Amino acid sequence: MEADTQAHVAFFLTGRRPSEHLDAVDGLGLRPALFASYRDLTQLRYDFPLVLVDGRADGLFAQSLSGIIDSALASVAQGSDGERIRKHVLRLEQAIRELATGGASGSLFALWDKASSQFTKGVDQSFEDSLRRTRAAIKVNGAVVDCDTALPARLLQHAWAAVQQQKAEGFRKELDRLVLKLSDILKADYERSAAGRSAQHLQAAVGTGFGDAFDFDAMSRMLSKALPTDVFPESRRKRIGGLLDALSAQQFISSPAASATKTDAAKPYPFLFDSCADALAAFRERSPKQIALAKAIAIAGLEIDGQYSESRHDALFEQFGANGLDPQDLAQFPDYLVCVNAEKMQAVEHAHLMEILASGLPIKVLLQIDDILEESPNGESKLTSGMRSRQIANMAIGLNEVYVLQSSSSNLFRFRERLLRGLTYRGSALFSVFSGASAKSSGLPPYLMSAAAMESRAFPAFTYDPSAGPNWASRFYLGANSQVDLDWPIQAFTYEDEQHQRVSQDMAFTLVDFVASDHRYARHLARVPREKWNGSMIPVDESLTRERKGLPDKVPSLLMVDADNVLQKVIVDERLIREARRCREMWHSLQELGGIHNSHAEKLLAREKKTWEERLQHETEAREATVPGAGVSAAPSASPAPAATSAPVEQEPERSPDEAYIETPRCSTCNECTTLNNKLFSYDANKQAYIADIQAGSYAQLVEAAESCQVSIIHPGKPRNLQEPGLDELLKRAAAFQ
Ligand code: SF4
């Protein structure tokens, strides 16, 4: 027992596994115990597959297969036949789900027919009747898509196309209206001109049928005398002609009328890109034409209303768009959509992405992330989760005017309204989506991996919508994550023990569960044979609440199941626990942004509570003092309230230049230093960092923290240990922060 515990502790600290005490996890096909009931997703009714519904640009642009079937059954499965129809149709639903999971593509009705053909042999007529009646009750159709690697792009492109089509229809109607009105103005002008009143023109207008019935010469003379002869100045005629050319030749939306009349009509521009650089280049190249079209629309409106004044407007429109178009003008035009994969992005593309987001241009970017776990390049085998995507999303939020949506694929259906909001947002938008594709290496479905990433806080879902209101409370939404006020969501887990008794227990789903489902990181885990299970193995979430002092006497462990759903216990190394702590700190920061456990609010609450308790105490004492016979003198009269004074300004203490310190009141609680070493750096009651124990870290860590502090308030001072390696270099780096 003692030797086993020592082996567990050694593995925890070093990641080295003595084979006589611990088994390697590789090849055992283990998965977190909470995955046990999700072994075959086709047996479950859940959000997927989805149907990308044709012709919808509202929240029903995507619907779940189960939802569509339920709606149809609600109208069909009634009366004595009801149960029979429900049973038959649910069998078919499962067959469609199996087809989608197996990679079959097609519309809902195509897959319906394909799945129902599998049942034709040996089924009675009642089965066919159930399917026929339910199929007739389904009023939507569209491509069926499963939660796979392609889902983020397919779903977003589908929603974007629907939104753009709706937008283009409005734009096209407006352009057609302007063209018609301007043409009418020119026509009316011509009718008033000498040429328009000529006998020849009048005859052509009447046509050959009645050509002999009129004296067109007489009619022309009469009209010339009877009607006013004022025609446009040539400049106006030319201007309107130019406007008509600009409106008809535009390539921003397709115009069926232009294509029908002109065989050489230029093709409409594409707005879907797979590179930020290409999208930006296209935007810039088209910009002069976009400005010209927006200018033509503005002038056309004035012309039609008879408001255009050359003396006033010519000079004004000369400068139109000199500084680019304003958001209102831009909003008429189609939005760009760029779909990029984070793994394939080079530094240049990354820079272009940031340029798009900072520009506020109407370019929406889908950043698909297929793998959120990576070994950090900065530390020896240090594991990080979602670091790159987190940095991009944080930077986008920091720009204040970008719509940001982060979500796992598994949650995209639930975020469909928010997807639409981002696509219709006037500025740039970032959709950062984890696809779950890394599940392939572990033989898991992408749905399960992406759901686990969200559940474990490795990739939490949130949105930041700058148009939703003036403050964080209205702009930032974190509520899609389960049990959002907890560090880790708790789920009930039920299993049968060796005595065949049903046992139920609550289990936290942590980052360690997520990493444990990825077989590439199996080296951070070791299986403990059942006979060696002992009391030193504690759940990961419990271990995360303990601060280690000296050698640990407990090691974190995880319940997993093997391919036969037999319960196994694995222990976890300290690197994984460190990353879980880091993940929890990041989650805390998000919680604060979402107003959960907000440190400012909690501080205010504590202050108010203290004031209230003091007042209560004071009143109680005063009451007791005035009770007759209490044997004490009357309460002294209340002393006058002190005049309001401003809070004393905290003076920074005098410091030696050799001393390391943090300007604590300026700390923005970004967690960088505390994550690096939470003994050296700690938070005070205001959740602002200070140096808690200078002995608990090295000078190198002080310098590293100073370099990563976002507000440069960590001052490393001078090294205490003059034997520390690399001091010359460290002192040079530290000089910038003294
Ligand atoms: S790195 Fe700087 S801002 Fe961040 S917690 Fe530490 S002291 Fe505060």
Side-chain angles (χ1 to χ4, degrees), residues 63 100 112 150 187 231 239 255 339 350 386 396 416 451 477 480 492 515 595 599 622 624 642 653 660-661 696 713:
Q63 297 178 34
W112 179 288
K187 208 164 137 198
V231 290
R239 188 168 55 247
S255 167
C339 298
H350 192 276
R416 59 195 181 280
Y477 174 72
V515 179
S599 55
E624 284 172 2
Y661 71 100
I713 55 170

Side-chain angles (χ1 to χ4, degrees), residues 662 666-674 683 688-689 705 708-714:
I662 295 180
R666 292 179 55 209
C667 171
S668 61
T669 320
C670 75
N671 301 331
E672 285 291 344
C673 61
T674 50
Y683 284 129
Q688 290 180 303
S708 51
C709 176
Q710 296 177 352
V711 284
S712 302
I713 55 170
I714 299 179

